[in-house]
Amino acid sequence: TFIPTPSEAPAGEKHSIRLNISGDRRAVAEALSISEIPTNGEATVEIYSPDWLVKAILAHGPFIEVLEKEPLRGEIKRSAENILALYPS
């Protein structure tokens, strides 16, 4: 299944995204409306807005990794790089 970048995604189209969740699993589960996260940390979320998922992942830092969908991974990386650029050392 092709997953467009967040800016290209049609509004209201449903996407399944596989994630690896670590750290504070309860907080991540609540934020992403996941009822249960298996012990291996892998979960699938159903989303309608890739933009929303990018923001949720950035809000939880290193505790959520997108396992599939390279365009989404690239968008998260670009957003993180833009944030880092605001804080040069």
Side-chain angles (χ1 to χ4, degrees), residues 63-82:
F63 302 121
I64 306 173
E65 176 189 7
V66 175
L67 297 175
E68 297 175 343
K69 315 303 185 207
E70 278 306 313
L72 189 58
R73 290 174 60 93
E75 185 67 27
I76 294 162
K77 181 179 178 184
R78 280 187 291 284
S79 294
E81 287 169 345
N82 288 339

Side-chain angles (χ1 to χ4, degrees), residues 10-61:
E13 189 174 318
K14 189 175 182 179
H15 304 284
S16 293
I17 309 293
R18 245 181 75 231
L19 306 172
N20 185 44
I21 301 165
S22 61
D24 189 353
R25 291 182 179 181
R26 172 176 268 176
V28 173
E30 289 175 2
L32 300 180
S33 299
I34 300 171
S35 59
E36 186 177 329
I37 298 173
T39 55
N40 70 359
E42 289 188 19
T44 300
V45 294
E46 303 289 327
I47 62 164
Y48 291 94
S49 171
D51 273 335
W52 174 84
L53 185 59
V54 168
K55 291 173 187 169
I57 289 171
L58 291 172
H60 290 280

